[in-house]
Amino acid sequence: MKKFFSGCIVFVLVYGLFLSQNVFAATTAEEIALLKDEVAKLKIANCCCASRECTLSSLGLTSEGYGTFVVQGTPKTNTTGKHAVNSSLLYGWSLTKKVSEDSLVYMRIKGAVGSGLNNDDNNKLNLDLYSNINSAASPTGDNLQIVEFLYHQDLFNKKLQLLFGKLNPTAYFDGNKIANDETTQFLASMFCNNPAIAFPSYTLGLRAMYSPVSFLDIEYGYFSQDDKNWNNIDKHNFNIVEGTYKISDTGNYRFMYWKTFGNEEKTFGYGLSFDQSLSKIITLFARYGHQNPQKTKGEACNILDSWSFGAQLNGGLWTRDMDKIGIAFGQNIPSKKWATSWNWWNRSTTPETQTECYYSFYLNNNVTLTPVVQCIFKPYGGKDYNDNICTFGIRTNITF
């Protein structure tokens, strides 16, 4: 028995010595190499745990997120004559995968909570207007969804761009350098996009852009009018052509023509959107749209003409380089044909005038605070809504 235990001890010692050759380095140089390897592994693990960018970049992905809070109040609405203070939240996250040097896949998720002071089917106590004053609000409540999913392809040395999928038409047409983003620029709808253009919402579509020379872009868009079911896209569709004349990096002059097919009442129209920098401090914009005056039905059909203009001042003028001031003025003019088509209510055709002024205060790379003042004269044409309206609000935009 003693010999047996002695044999076991010897076996364990010999086996342990054998394992030690694999666990411990034979030389100091090998020990250092092993130590460096372990440190590198720890750095990678720490990066991937502490930062999503490490994980996403390793997959060839980039992402962006944002959240926009808006609180607005008015001393008196034009529906009840009482004061109102409401809020809204717009939030989203996008993911981009670069497939090759000339192609990518893009997806964006967006959600919104609260209708703000905008009127909607759920809240009839807010403001009744031809064009809403809070583009960062949702008329249908909380609705998180994939709003964009597309494939983008560049061809012929980037002279031709093609993309298709679920698209946002206003992301490519009726653009403007200083009047196109409700999260950082003007808040009112008419200062973000033209209300006289019958854009469908996020929907199935195709967009092509050809740039024959550096100062000219020619674009065409084909979109389904049915933004929910995408049915009969060959019969019910929205078509738009836009030409953009570019003056170096200082100005963009866009001209567009659009037409719908397959609806109960076909309609068409044209528009323009200009932006021009006069210096590093001041940039001007102007926008105009007109649609078929025979159109009588639908939410977007009450606007015959819409025009607006304004300016943005850079804070460098008062040593706040990242701050901005924006001021805009515009009118929505309803169609007489549309107004008289409502036999039970003889609607007014008086233009509705809107103004807006904001100060965007740069807090840091991720947060801006923006006080906003808006005034509306003859809201909804002034018929049964005789009081002019002023709203006061603050917008907080967070990016990450």
Side-chain angles (χ1 to χ4, degrees):
M1 183 65 70
K2 291 182 179 179
K3 290 182 179 181
F4 174 76
F5 283 113
S6 298
C8 289
I9 293 171
V10 171
F11 175 78
V12 170
L13 290 174
V14 172
Y15 186 67
L17 182 62
F18 171 77
L19 290 178
S20 69
Q21 301 301 314
N22 297 288
V23 175
F24 299 100
T27 65
T28 302
E30 290 181 5
E31 289 181 355
I32 293 173
L34 286 171
L35 184 60
K36 287 182 177 179
D37 184 58
E38 292 300 320
V39 170
K41 290 179 180 178
L42 287 173
K43 287 182 177 179
I44 293 174
N46 181 63
C47 173
C48 292
C49 291
S51 172
R52 63 181 173 80
E53 290 299 330
C54 178
T55 305
L56 292 175
S57 61
S58 66
L59 298 174
L61 300 170
T62 58
S63 69
E64 293 181 352
Y66 66 92
T68 304
F69 299 86
V70 177
V71 178
Q72 280 183 301
T74 181
K76 184 167 60 174
T77 70
N78 66 337
T79 54
T80 66
K82 299 179 181 180
H83 81 280
V85 179
N86 289 343
S87 59
S88 65
L89 166 64
L90 177 69
Y91 58 95
W93 181 69
S94 66
L95 197 62
T96 304
K97 167 67 175 179
K98 193 170 185 179
V99 180
S100 68
E101 287 298 319
D102 298 316
S103 61
L104 60 85
V105 176
Y106 174 82
M107 180 183 74
R108 181 163 71 99
I109 299 173
K110 188 184 84 166
V113 182
S115 59
L117 288 178
N118 297 338
N119 208 344
D120 60 64
D121 293 336
N122 300 319
N123 190 347
K124 295 293 186 181
L125 304 180
N126 292 335
L127 304 179
D128 228 352
L129 306 170
Y130 285 138
S131 177
N132 284 327
I133 60 170
N134 183 357
S135 287
S138 168
T140 58
D142 196 356
N143 54 352
L144 179 64
Q145 59 178 314
I146 297 176
V147 292
E148 292 180 85
F149 191 93
L150 62 91
Y151 177 78
H152 177 116
Q153 179 70 56
D154 292 328
L155 298 169
F156 307 117
N157 198 26
K158 299 186 184 297
K159 286 186 176 295
L160 177 63
Q161 295 182 11
L162 297 174
L163 58 88
F164 66 89
K166 187 176 184 181
L167 307 178
N168 174 15
T170 60
Y172 309 102
F173 299 93
D174 189 37
N176 201 283
K177 183 178 180 180
I178 65 170
N180 197 222
D181 185 355
E182 65 273 16
T183 66
T184 60
Q185 298 169 350
F186 295 102
L187 189 61
S189 298
M190 72 173 302
F191 302 132
C192 293
N193 290 109
N194 202 316
I197 299 178
F199 282 118
S201 186
Y202 304 98
T203 188
L204 180 67
L206 167 72
R207 175 250 189 180
M209 183 175 77
Y210 179 58
S211 304
V213 289
S214 61
F215 56 84
L216 180 64
D217 293 336
I218 301 172
E219 299 180 69
Y220 169 71
Y222 181 98
F223 303 95
S224 169
Q225 279 285 83
D226 186 348
D227 54 20
K228 294 182 179 179
N229 300 316
W230 298 359
N231 294 329
N232 300 315
I233 61 173
D234 60 326
K235 298 178 181 178
H236 303 279
N237 49 73
F238 172 86
N239 296 259
I240 184 169
V241 178
E242 180 177 291
T244 303
Y245 177 71
K246 299 180 287 187
I247 302 178
S248 185
D249 294 328
T250 64
N252 298 280
Y253 294 81
R254 305 169 188 83
F255 303 86
M256 63 208 82
Y257 176 83
W258 59 271
K259 188 172 184 179
T260 62
F261 293 92
N263 291 336
E264 183 179 348
E265 293 180 288
K266 298 181 178 65
T267 189
F268 59 88
Y270 53 87
L272 56 84
S273 178
F274 299 162
D275 59 75
Q276 179 65 58
S277 296
L278 302 183
S279 67
K280 293 181 179 180
I281 299 297
I282 185 168
T283 301
L284 306 178
F285 88 90
R287 183 180 269 127
Y288 173 75
H290 171 84
Q291 72 170 323
N292 176 14
Q294 301 304 314
K295 188 76 173 175
T296 62
K297 297 180 180 179
E299 179 183 354
C301 305
N302 51 3
I303 305 299
L304 173 65
D305 296 281
S306 179
W307 58 266
S308 60
F309 66 89
Q312 183 186 87
L313 299 177
N314 185 277
L317 189 63
W318 54 95
T319 69
R320 290 280 304 176
D321 291 345
M322 302 301 291
D323 289 4
K324 295 178 176 61
I325 290 179
I327 185 168
F329 182 90
Q331 277 191 337
N332 293 314
I333 304 170
S335 164
K336 292 183 179 180
K337 176 79 172 179
W338 171 84
T340 56
S341 68
W342 296 78
N343 296 326
W344 55 276
W345 185 12
N346 186 23
R347 299 196 178 203
S348 170
T349 56
T350 303
E352 172 188 273
T353 302
Q354 294 193 18
T355 63
E356 179 173 331
C357 182
Y358 71 82
Y359 184 98
S360 179
F361 177 78
Y362 172 85
L363 192 60
N364 55 51
N365 288 336
N366 301 97
V367 182
T368 56
L369 301 176
T370 308
V372 181
V373 177
Q374 298 165 317
C375 292
I376 303 97
F377 305 95
K378 296 294 183 181
Y380 217 70
K383 181 69 175 179
D384 295 333
Y385 300 106
N386 296 317
D387 292 333
N388 298 326
I389 300 167
C390 283
T391 71
F392 308 88
I394 187 164
R395 175 181 62 200
T396 303
N397 188 58
I398 303 171
T399 60
F400 56 92

